[in-house]
Amino acid sequence: MNDDKGEGVAIANLIGIDGYNIVGWVYRWSTGTHAVMWDVHGPQPVSEIRPDLTEEQKQEIDFDALTRIGRGDSG
């Protein structure tokens, strides 16, 4: 993707609960918003973001919810 053309740029990796595998990416769009894109296996629980993001960026992508995927927690 190309930020010059109004597309997103990957800024961080989402690391799975094994602490090793990348399960998705955080993208920053030219509008300044952030979004998550999953790998081919779809949404999976996340243990951390590398490199770490600011608290505001984590809140925008709802990092807390990403850590609960598949656990049956309702919030």
Side-chain angles (χ1 to χ4, degrees), residues 9-14 24-28 34-36 49 53 61:
V9 174
I11 62 167
N13 297 315
L14 298 173
W25 302 267
V26 177
Y27 277 79
R28 183 191 71 238
H34 296 83
V36 169
I49 301 172
L53 300 177
I61 63 168

Side-chain angles (χ1 to χ4, degrees), residues 3 7-12 26-35 57:
D3 196 32
E7 298 176 355
V9 174
I11 62 167
V26 177
Y27 277 79
R28 183 191 71 238
W29 298 95
S30 60
T31 60
T33 59
H34 296 83
Q57 291 169 320

Side-chain angles (χ1 to χ4, degrees), residues 11-74:
I11 62 167
N13 297 315
L14 298 173
I15 308 301
I17 58 173
D18 64 0
Y20 178 73
N21 286 308
I22 296 171
V23 297
W25 302 267
V26 177
Y27 277 79
R28 183 191 71 238
W29 298 95
S30 60
T31 60
T33 59
H34 296 83
V36 169
M37 185 170 108
W38 297 104
D39 73 3
V40 296
H41 301 290
Q44 300 172 55
V46 174
S47 65
E48 64 181 292
I49 301 172
R50 293 184 196 151
D52 200 13
L53 300 177
T54 67
E55 289 304 315
E56 293 81 17
Q57 291 169 320
K58 285 181 181 178
Q59 186 174 13
E60 185 175 351
I61 63 168
D62 199 357
F63 179 71
D64 289 336
L66 298 180
T67 64
R68 294 188 308 266
I69 291 173
R71 294 187 187 170
D73 296 349
S74 60

